[in-house]
Amino acid sequence: MTATAKFIETLEKLKEGNLGLLRTHAGQGLDESVNGFDLFAGLWWPLRKENNRAPRRSVAWLIAKLYAFRPIRHENGLTIAIQLRRCRPPKKEDRDRFRQKFDEMLILPLDDIEPALQWALQQIDDLANPRLDWVKLTDDLSIWERESKRLEWAREFIQTDERDNDNVD
C-alpha cells in the first residue's frame, strides 16, 4: 500500500468530531490554529515518519480539509474529471457554464484551488452513488504545478464528454 493510500485510509477512519474540526479550517493555512495543527500532525507525521514518500504536507492538509468537507467514499479509477463529467447539467447553456468552471479550476495555483475543489466535491456528492479516487486526487495535487497534470484532467473530462455527446440533446 502506498503512503498516499495509507493517508486516505487514515482519513476514512476519522470520527465525526475530528471531521467537524477539520471542516472549521476550510480556507485556512495549517499554521492558523493549534487545534487544526495538532489534529493534522497526528494524522500526517506518523505516516511521514514511516515513509518519506508521504504526500507533501501542504497537499495532505488540503486533502484532509476537502475530505472533511465531503467525505465521499474512495473508489479507485473514479477521478475528479470523470466524476465531474457525470455531473454535467442537461441544458446546453448550463453545461457550458459547468465546463467553464472546470476550465477555471485547471488554471488555479495549488494555494488557491480549495474553493474550486469544494465546488467539484459538492457536484460529485450530488450523484446517486458518489465515489472518488482520493489517492489519485492527492497524487495529482502533489504535482499540480506540472502542466501535464492539468492537461491530463482536461483530456479525461473531454474524452468522457466526447463519449457522452450522443446521449445529450
Side-chain angles (χ1 to χ4, degrees):
M1 179 180 291
T2 68
T4 305
K6 284 183 181 180
F7 180 68
I8 298 305
E9 188 177 83
T10 301
L11 292 177
E12 291 176 317
K13 293 177 182 176
L14 286 176
K15 303 245 186 283
E16 184 55 41
N18 287 333
L19 290 172
L21 178 60
L22 283 170
R23 276 192 293 275
T24 65
H25 291 83
Q28 295 182 10
L30 182 56
D31 59 349
E32 293 184 43
S33 160
V34 172
N35 290 338
F37 183 86
D38 287 347
L39 174 58
F40 178 75
L43 299 171
W44 186 76
W45 274 112
L47 179 61
R48 178 70 175 168
K49 190 175 184 182
E50 176 185 316
N51 187 336
N52 67 354
R53 297 191 58 87
R56 288 187 339 218
R57 186 176 67 163
S58 60
V59 171
W61 173 239
L62 174 60
I63 291 294
K65 294 184 295 175
L66 291 170
Y67 184 83
F69 175 72
R70 287 288 189 269
I72 297 168
R73 287 189 60 187
H74 172 79
E75 185 170 323
N76 290 333
L78 294 179
T79 66
I80 201 161
I82 290 170
Q83 290 297 71
L84 278 176
R85 187 66 192 104
R86 293 177 178 160
C87 300
R88 177 187 56 181
K91 291 182 180 178
K92 182 180 179 350
E93 53 277 359
D94 294 337
R95 280 196 315 269
D96 290 344
R97 279 193 294 275
F98 189 87
R99 183 178 290 163
Q100 183 178 4
K101 282 189 77 86
F102 179 79
D103 289 346
E104 289 169 356
M105 180 170 54
L106 294 180
I107 63 171
L108 290 170
L110 186 64
D111 291 341
D112 298 332
I113 202 169
E114 186 175 351
L117 289 171
Q118 287 177 337
W119 166 81
L121 292 176
Q122 182 130 6
Q123 303 306 307
I124 294 167
D125 199 31
D126 288 342
L127 290 170
N129 189 14
R131 300 278 192 270
L132 182 66
D133 191 335
W134 286 98
V135 173
K136 178 87 165 96
L137 178 60
T138 305
D139 289 343
D140 286 355
L141 293 176
S142 294
I143 55 172
W144 190 245
E145 295 82 10
R146 295 182 190 169
E147 184 180 354
S148 61
K149 183 49 58 187
R150 297 168 193 224
L151 288 172
E152 178 186 311
W153 281 32
R155 274 192 297 273
E156 276 187 351
F157 188 80
I158 289 168
Q159 286 172 350
T160 308
D161 188 33
E162 289 169 352
R163 276 182 270 162
D164 292 343
N165 261 349
D166 296 335
N167 302 329
V168 191
D169 346 318

